[in-house]
Amino acid sequence: MLEMFQRGDLDLMDDEISDKDGPKPIVIERGEKIETLLHFLKTAFDLSSNEKGRLQPSAEQIIIVRNEEEKRELPEELKDFPVFTVVESKGLEFQDVILYNFFGSSEKYQCWNYLGKIDLEIQHMSETQ
């Protein structure tokens, strides 16, 4: 599907296979409240809060945004996290990576939104069979 929607924008490569298992990415939709994301981050990463009530990330948790504009528009509640643009994060490795507003700020957001709906529909179909 990615190749179909992004034709001409991608260099086609062989599929990558990891020797490590890990959790699937979790998507929190743009329309959801920031509190939903904060609650998820606190419980998933067992984060504590500082005296102002803001989450205290570890050195292993970062946020990646598409560009400098998205970095400037990051909600105050997330500004204690290290934040990198895609270019700045190249070559770095972290345990937990949060892509913030990554697809929503893309010109091709509708395509990504559609893919998410297809995945949910396929999941629903397999559960009902």
Side-chain angles (χ1 to χ4, degrees):
M1 300 285 282
L2 181 62
E3 292 170 13
M4 182 173 72
F5 284 123
Q6 301 277 7
R7 183 161 300 173
D9 292 344
L10 300 172
D11 293 327
L12 299 181
M13 301 170 67
D14 293 334
D15 290 342
E16 292 185 45
I17 299 173
S18 175
D19 58 349
K20 296 184 171 52
D21 289 331
K24 286 187 172 186
I26 296 170
V27 176
I28 297 177
E29 292 289 329
R30 180 181 189 132
E32 293 186 50
K33 295 180 179 177
I34 188 72
E35 290 80 16
T36 303
L37 175 59
L38 295 174
H39 175 73
F40 169 77
L41 294 175
K42 185 172 186 162
T43 55
F45 302 140
D46 194 29
L47 300 179
S48 60
S49 299
N50 65 16
E51 63 280 350
K52 295 180 182 178
R54 288 174 37 170
L55 295 179
Q56 293 296 116
S58 76
E60 290 295 318
Q61 292 142 354
I62 67 155
I63 295 175
I64 297 179
V65 295
R66 291 178 68 80
N67 52 43
E68 287 294 329
E69 181 181 345
E70 291 293 329
K71 191 189 268 192
R72 286 188 299 273
E73 293 179 10
L74 196 68
E76 280 299 316
E77 297 90 344
L78 299 175
K79 291 198 175 177
D80 289 330
F81 282 82
V83 181
F84 297 95
T85 64
V86 174
V87 173
E88 293 169 338
S89 68
K90 187 168 174 57
L92 302 176
E93 292 186 20
F94 296 92
Q95 184 67 34
D96 304 308
V97 176
I98 300 139
L99 299 177
Y100 185 80
N101 199 24
F102 199 79
F103 300 112
S105 64
S106 168
E107 310 82 45
K108 298 185 180 185
Y109 174 70
Q110 293 303 322
C111 296
W112 290 109
N113 195 23
Y114 182 69
L115 286 175
K117 289 180 180 177
I118 288 174
D119 186 45
L120 288 175
E121 199 54 41
I122 291 170
Q123 184 179 25
H124 175 71
M125 289 170 46
S126 66
E127 290 172 356
T128 57
Q129 291 179 357

